[in-house]
Amino acid sequence: MLLFMTLSLLLIIIKPTGIINFEKFEGKNLYFAQVKGSANCTSTIKLKQNNKFTYESICFGIEKTKGFYEIKNDTIHFKDFDKRKFQFKYGKINSKFNTIDLFREKNDNNPFSIPIIKKLKRLQIKSF
């Protein structure tokens, strides 16, 4: 029993986020955007290659939602997600300011802008 408890505590110290990283199975991030606000609140959006997205808001608790998206030109259309945890209907990739601007509705004049931290580089095939 003591050996089991010691092993459990060691695993918690060595791997605090868990032994298996399940995010690896979801695919690579096409876009990773994150913003820190007041009181060290953080909002993160990840757009995966397989047209799935994850939105996480950490502020006096963790709210996480997953769904699907579709990109047309520079507009991101979100679908099949929990509307209680993610109120945005669509987003725009703003390449001028390197942000993803999230909109609650079409007439939304004050979008929630999240700076893009990492963007997957496309593989370019060179012709010889």
Side-chain angles (χ1 to χ4, degrees):
M1 184 69 162
L2 184 63
L3 180 65
F4 176 74
M5 289 174 53
T6 306
L7 183 64
S8 297
L9 287 173
L10 280 173
L11 280 174
I12 291 170
I13 292 169
I14 295 170
K15 298 274 190 174
T17 57
I19 297 171
I20 301 171
N21 183 4
F22 289 102
E23 195 169 305
K24 283 183 179 180
F25 301 118
E26 294 177 0
K28 292 184 179 181
N29 291 331
L30 191 59
Y31 286 96
F32 176 81
Q34 187 176 56
V35 65
K36 287 188 181 181
S38 60
N40 209 21
C41 296
T42 305
S43 295
T44 305
I45 189 163
K46 298 174 190 173
L47 302 177
K48 301 285 186 178
Q49 284 181 317
N50 56 2
N51 289 355
K52 292 182 180 179
F53 79 92
T54 303
Y55 178 78
E56 185 176 61
S57 177
I58 301 173
C59 191
F60 308 114
I62 299 174
E63 286 190 4
K64 189 173 187 177
T65 187
K66 294 182 178 187
F68 294 92
Y69 73 91
E70 183 179 351
I71 296 179
K72 291 183 182 174
N73 297 327
D74 64 346
T75 306
I76 307 163
H77 299 280
F78 300 108
K79 51 189 169 183
D80 298 331
F81 59 90
D82 187 355
K83 292 176 177 53
R84 293 173 291 157
K85 296 180 182 177
F86 186 71
Q87 306 88 19
F88 305 104
K89 295 197 177 183
Y90 70 97
K92 289 198 175 219
I93 299 169
N94 189 337
S95 54
K96 181 179 178 184
F97 295 110
N98 200 32
T99 61
I100 295 177
D101 300 332
L102 300 174
F103 296 87
R104 288 179 174 82
E105 56 187 37
K106 279 192 174 186
N107 299 329
D108 192 355
N109 294 326
N110 191 19
F112 181 53
S113 295
I114 303 178
I116 297 171
I117 305 295
K118 192 174 182 183
K119 184 165 89 172
L120 185 69
K121 295 178 181 155
R122 304 259 182 199
L123 294 174
Q124 296 178 353
I125 300 171
K126 295 179 181 179
S127 58
F128 296 108

